[in-house]
Amino acid sequence: MIRSHWRAITLLTLIVVLANAIILSGTFNCDPEILFSGLAVAPQRSFTDACFVDPAVGFLTQALGHLSAQDWLHGIIPWWNPYTGIGMPLAAEVQNESFFLPFVLLLHFHNGWIVQRLLFQIFSGLLTYALLFLLKLGRPAALLGGALFSLNGTFILTAGTVAGTFLFLPLLLIGIERAHQAALARRPMGWSLIALAIAGSLYAGFPEIAYFDGLLAASWTLLRLAQTPATARWHLLAKIVTGALLGIVLTAPMLIPFLQYLQLGDLGLHGILMAKEISPIAATPLQMLPMFYGALASYSAIAFAWFQIGGWFGCAPVLLALYAVVPKPGAPHRAERTLLACWIVILEARCFGLPGVTALLNLIPGVASTDIIRYAPLSVEFAVFVLAAFGFDDLSRCGPATRGRLAWCAAAFFVCLGLSVIPAWHLLPGWYRTYPALRLPALLSLGGITLTLAATALSLRTGRHLRATQALIITGGVLLFLTSQLGGLRSGHIDRAGIAYLQTNAGLTRFYTLGPFNSNYPAEYRIAAINAVQLPTPENWSNFYNTKLLTPPQSFAYGSTIFMQTAAVRANIAAFEALGVKFIGIPLGGPPLNRILLSTPPPVSVPTTGARGNNYLQMQPGQSVTGTITAPARPASTIYAAAITLGTFKGRSSGPLAISLCAGGQCATGQSDLTLATDNAAFTIRLTPPLPIQPGTALTYRITHAAGPAVALWLSTAQTPMLALQVSAPTDQPIRVLHSPAMLIYQLPNPAPYTQASLDACNLVILNRQFMQSNCPQPATLLRRELFYPGWRARVNGTPAAIQPVSGIFQQIPLPAGPATIRFTYMPAHTRLSCAAALLACLIWLLCALAARRHRA
């Protein structure tokens, strides 16, 4: 079988490799870590804004997937993640692919996500080709459908994060087709691929995509049941139900912890806004014209639109799909075409808010709580590409279209195009005035689309040049794929100084960041950080984090600044220390975390040009700014540095910037070069000598820009320069311990220990997070600063010990008098039973497959 299709297999593989040529060559750097971790140093963009939109490929696939792979390779089942929050489930989060073996093992390598995407694309194309060939389409049409699905836009927008799930959709439909053939022939089995596809789609990590794929497969099943003679209908139903049940049982070790996590987790907006969410107007053109805005990436003004379309189809596949919807009399698969067309229309109507459709679909259990506008369109893409393959097959077998059918295609196509473009047309003038450089790629894309459409229309009219049309359509998909990779970095590297420092000094303590070394990335390096980006999140931790740490809430709300966030953390140091946080990361140029004398609120806009704006003062070479401020009424202090908030006009400012401070007849001066400054951030200048001041002292400052291009001073609401005067840090204040090219790290003075006995006289020896020894003169309790969550067990000297919650989030167990060995273990509920059931299902699957093979022999 494979030998007879080696050309198609080779072509589909080469198409995928060619589509990823730029990223494979290393010409531009699309590493998610350098794009999303906040540790990039001197990044220089290339031609577009980003390689992909969804950062989940970094936070989940690369960071937590690497942690899962490391656990497997060290003989540990990745049930628990102690490095995110104060610990939380790992495998139960599912989106990190913890149980998606063997693919998750590729994430052991830093660029394993690239290999994963290549494999997912190749498998998606091959399985779609196999499905279409099984449906008796010609090889050219099957090749076109497989190529289109392997190049679908979802691989670009998500970097392949979700692709592990939807590559099993064509496999599931192949399983249903084989079950249908087996039922008609009264053969045993035929359902093995159904079980494999369902298990694979769930283990791949995105249950929402698996859910919508399952709904499409269920619709396909109902169609096949209706087409099956009554004598074989029950056989077909039994085969499909058997395969589905076995597939679900095979995933029990992951599925049961996941369902428990849903009950105990915070789901964010799921179930609140998802039931009524619709795609924005700006997204309407993108499914047919992905280059409508001149780029395939996340320019800030349209990032929300890209983030909410799932993927795209392109114009030529839509035209072929419309041609397939109204086939000639006697054409095969008329019912299947109608089913796919209805699926497309219903889900597109739901995503774009057609009245009544939303309420109707929300009646289906589970639909209202899923992110339908992001994850349902993936099955719509598949349906469009399968219909396009049907249309191309009609051309190959039946010759040119009749005038009436051609007129229908043209009218329906222009209606679809109008519905896509007209709602967002008013955005174009302002968009291209703001980004004139994007006009050329938009025009080039329009030219390519026009050429491909013309070739497709010519083939429809004449029935000729089909191979050229096929090549043009596939080439368009490859070029779009390559265009997205132009969003990589030309230069830049990751600052690893902070990572190395934390790995050396953090131990069992924790880290918190206000930007650099972003959420989940510390887990990749086995550094415990309380930041977390994942859904679900344990509800007890989420409530504590939002109410006890993120206070006041407005300081961390959308649109808040690093100044507001740092001030809030500074005022809440004790709460962070109580969690065992020892280090806090702040962006380079951010305000100091240790005690300051004066801090003014940030302005509300960014300086651009001109000598003076409402919120900034542009200083030319040789200019100085002077003024007087009054020290607050607090104990005598010593000023050792001044932080001035500057705008460097995207790094164009240079030359020395000097400041002098005088108080009580004494002066201190400092100077630093503006090439070291970060645009729109605080620029710290050390003072020599440090300046001692008394409470209420009048401070006179003078800021001088001696030479070089202009620099902007941000102004406070009082129209004075924004200054933060840093005071010598006493022992009870955070101390800056690292100044790396990408981040500042401060050490808190009194972080709580990971474990703590209620009696000071107890002697504790902590071997690691799960093993410790104690020796207490009398009975006591042990507090462990790990998340209280069902599944944790403790043994003291081999005897089970009850774990009690403390503050709703920590764990506490009793300690006996005398020496004791303590061991904590985590295993989700019903794990032994679910693993036994999965092993039994696997055994049944293998035995039945062997029996069916013997029967065929």
Side-chain angles (χ1 to χ4, degrees):
M1 181 69 177
I2 293 178
R3 288 181 181 178
S4 63
H5 296 280
W6 70 268
R7 288 185 180 177
I9 294 171
T10 303
L11 277 174
L12 288 170
T13 303
L14 289 176
I15 287 169
V16 170
V17 173
L18 180 61
N20 289 276
I22 292 177
I23 198 171
L24 290 174
S25 69
T27 306
F28 299 116
N29 189 353
C30 288
D31 181 4
E33 184 173 16
I34 198 170
L35 296 176
F36 301 126
S37 70
L39 293 176
V41 177
Q44 183 181 2
R45 287 284 182 192
S46 50
F47 298 101
T48 59
D49 190 50
C51 298
F52 28 77
V53 175
D54 193 346
V57 67
F59 298 152
L60 298 177
T61 304
Q62 192 178 48
L64 297 185
H66 175 82
L67 178 63
S68 299
Q70 286 287 86
D71 278 356
W72 282 117
L73 293 173
H74 286 84
I76 301 170
I77 301 176
W79 292 124
W80 188 257
N81 172 13
Y83 305 106
T84 303
I86 56 171
M88 55 185 62
L90 182 57
E93 197 272 338
V94 303
Q95 294 182 84
N96 52 60
E97 307 177 20
S98 289
F99 277 21
F100 193 31
L101 294 166
F103 296 105
V104 68
L105 298 180
L106 292 171
L107 300 177
H108 165 72
F109 305 99
H110 189 73
N111 289 320
W113 66 274
I114 300 176
V115 182
Q116 265 200 357
R117 185 168 87 168
L118 284 169
L119 291 176
F120 293 163
Q121 285 185 259
I122 292 169
F123 288 149
S124 296
L126 293 178
L127 290 172
T128 304
Y129 172 86
L131 171 66
L132 295 173
F133 189 78
L134 186 62
L135 293 174
K136 303 189 183 308
L137 271 69
R139 296 190 187 191
L143 178 66
L144 178 64
L148 287 174
F149 194 52
S150 69
L151 298 173
N152 71 73
T154 305
F155 282 112
I156 296 176
L157 298 181
T158 68
T161 304
V162 303
T165 298
F166 70 79
L167 72 86
F168 288 100
L169 174 57
L171 182 63
L172 180 56
L173 296 184
I174 291 173
I176 294 171
E177 289 300 303
R178 291 188 61 180
H180 182 239
Q181 294 172 358
L184 293 176
R186 296 300 181 109
R187 295 197 309 267
M189 285 287 287
W191 46 259
S192 59
L193 290 182
I194 296 176
L196 186 63
I198 290 176
S201 63
L202 291 173
Y203 276 127
F206 279 81
E208 289 171 299
I209 298 174
Y211 177 72
F212 286 109
D213 290 354
L215 289 180
L216 176 57
S219 304
W220 193 276
T221 297
L222 292 176
L223 175 64
R224 283 289 178 256
L225 286 171
Q227 294 172 333
T228 303
T231 54
R233 191 171 297 155
W234 287 107
H235 292 283
L236 174 59
L237 182 61
K239 291 177 184 296
I240 292 176
V241 170
T242 300
L245 289 177
L246 270 182
I248 293 173
V249 174
L250 283 170
T251 64
M254 182 208 71
L255 193 59
I256 291 176
F258 170 67
L259 295 176
Q260 181 190 45
Y261 202 8
L262 289 181
Q263 295 177 339
L264 300 175
D266 178 6
L267 298 177
L269 299 178
H270 287 253
I272 302 174
L273 298 180
M274 297 300 177
K276 298 181 179 179
E277 187 182 24
I278 61 174
S279 296
I281 293 297
T284 57
L286 298 178
Q287 290 182 318
M288 289 189 67
L289 300 169
M291 291 289 287
F292 186 76
Y293 298 107
L296 289 176
S298 55
Y299 278 92
S300 57
I302 57 167
F304 68 98
W306 279 115
F307 203 68
Q308 299 181 70
I309 65 167
W312 58 76
F313 325 127
C315 287
V318 169
L319 181 59
L320 285 173
L322 291 170
Y323 180 72
V325 170
V326 185
K328 288 183 177 181
H333 304 298
R334 297 176 68 91
E336 290 83 347
R337 301 175 194 225
T338 303
L339 170 66
L340 294 173
C342 291
W343 182 264
I344 294 167
V345 170
I346 292 172
L347 286 187
E348 286 292 285
R350 164 61 186 89
C351 290
F352 290 100
L354 191 70
V357 177
T358 298
L360 181 63
L361 287 183
N362 284 345
L363 296 176
I364 302 174
V367 169
S369 59
T370 57
D371 194 352
I372 192 170
I373 65 173
R374 287 187 61 202
Y375 296 131
L378 307 183
S379 60
V380 175
E381 290 176 74
F382 176 78
V384 170
F385 296 147
V386 169
L387 282 177
F390 276 127
F392 193 83
D393 192 62
D394 287 351
L395 275 177
S396 302
R397 294 175 185 270
C398 305
T402 62
R403 289 188 176 182
R405 195 176 178 192
L406 197 60
W408 142 258
C409 287
F413 175 79
F414 284 111
V415 167
C416 292
L417 188 63
L419 291 174
S420 297
V421 172
I422 291 174
W425 187 260
H426 67 283
L427 300 173
L428 284 188
W431 174 255
Y432 284 112
R433 279 196 302 269
T434 306
Y435 300 103
L438 297 180
R439 293 173 183 171
L440 179 59
L443 290 174
L444 291 174
S445 170
L446 183 60
I449 290 172
T450 304
L451 176 63
T452 306
L453 276 175
T456 306
L458 181 64
S459 294
L460 289 173
R461 184 68 186 90
T462 65
R464 300 166 60 189
H465 312 296
L466 296 184
R467 288 180 179 257
T469 300
Q470 180 194 48
L472 275 175
I473 294 173
I474 295 174
T475 301
V478 170
L479 290 176
L480 278 176
F481 230 89
L482 291 172
T483 300
S484 71
Q485 295 159 47
L486 297 177
L489 300 181
R490 291 181 178 179
S491 61
H493 64 277
I494 295 173
D495 171 28
R496 301 198 178 275
I499 299 174
Y501 181 87
L502 292 170
Q503 285 179 321
T504 302
N505 297 282
L508 297 180
T509 62
R510 293 190 169 95
F511 171 71
Y512 177 70
T513 180
L514 287 172
F517 207 17
N518 276 337
S519 303
N520 296 355
Y521 268 107
E524 181 178 355
Y525 298 94
R526 296 185 176 267
I527 297 169
I530 64 172
N531 306 78
V533 175
Q534 62 182 56
L535 280 178
T537 303
E539 190 169 21
N540 54 344
W541 167 245
S542 180
N543 292 338
F544 182 91
Y545 185 82
N546 292 323
T547 59
K548 303 296 184 182
L549 298 183
L550 302 188
T551 57
Q554 61 270 21
S555 295
F556 297 89
Y558 180 77
S560 63
T561 66
I562 186 61
F563 298 90
M564 300 166 65
Q565 294 169 14
T566 305
V569 171
R570 190 187 302 121
N572 205 21
I573 290 293
F576 286 91
E577 290 180 326
L579 292 172
V581 174
K582 184 178 181 180
F583 298 104
I584 293 182
I586 291 178
L588 198 65
L593 186 62
N594 47 16
R595 190 156 54 97
I596 62 174
L597 282 180
L598 177 68
S599 181
T600 51
V604 294
S605 63
V606 177
T608 53
T609 58
R612 188 181 183 93
N614 292 330
N615 300 300
Y616 66 92
L617 174 67
Q618 183 170 315
M619 295 183 67
Q620 299 296 337
Q623 285 188 328
S624 296
V625 176
T626 60
T628 302
I629 55 179
T630 303
R634 58 174 63 184
S637 305
T638 302
I639 302 173
Y640 71 95
I644 311 167
T645 304
L646 304 177
T648 64
F649 304 103
K650 297 184 177 180
R652 289 192 289 268
S653 301
S654 63
L657 186 73
I659 184 171
S660 66
L661 279 176
C662 297
Q666 293 182 302
C667 292
T669 60
Q671 178 177 297
S672 188
D673 196 281
L674 287 170
T675 55
L676 302 175
T678 302
D679 194 20
N680 304 322
F683 181 49
T684 301
I685 301 176
R686 289 192 171 275
L687 299 177
T688 306
L691 181 64
I693 59 170
Q694 298 297 321
T697 302
L699 287 160
T700 302
Y701 64 85
R702 182 182 185 87
I703 303 171
T704 303
H705 180 34
V711 65
L713 293 184
W714 289 74
L715 302 178
S716 69
T717 53
Q719 296 294 291
T720 59
M722 294 183 61
L723 291 175
L725 305 181
Q726 300 183 25
V727 181
S728 299
T731 56
D732 63 341
Q733 291 293 317
I735 300 173
R736 193 174 73 187
V737 293
L738 181 74
H739 183 167
S740 75
M743 67 189 302
L744 304 173
I745 295 181
Y746 285 83
Q747 179 177 326
L748 304 188
N750 301 303
Y754 180 70
T755 58
Q756 188 174 4
S758 59
L759 294 178
D760 293 337
C762 288
N763 180 29
L764 283 180
V765 178
I766 304 172
L767 303 177
N768 57 40
R769 295 182 185 276
Q770 294 180 246
F771 296 92
M772 50 212 71
Q773 296 171 343
S774 68
N775 194 341
C776 298
Q778 62 188 65
T781 58
L782 176 74
L783 174 66
R784 180 175 181 246
R785 288 180 170 86
E786 191 80 19
L787 185 70
F788 179 81
Y789 189 84
W792 275 107
R793 297 169 179 83
R795 285 183 173 270
V796 178
N797 291 330
T799 303
I803 301 178
Q804 300 296 327
V806 175
S807 302
I809 58 170
F810 297 137
Q811 303 174 16
Q812 180 175 282
I813 63 169
L815 289 179
T821 300
I822 304 135
R823 179 182 181 184
F824 289 89
T825 57
Y826 174 77
M827 184 183 293
H830 313 301
T831 295
R832 290 185 175 86
L833 179 61
S834 62
C835 289
L839 287 173
L840 179 61
C842 185
L843 182 62
I844 292 173
W845 187 89
L846 288 172
L847 291 176
C848 290
L850 290 174
R853 185 175 180 179
R854 288 183 178 179
H855 183 271
R856 287 195 299 270

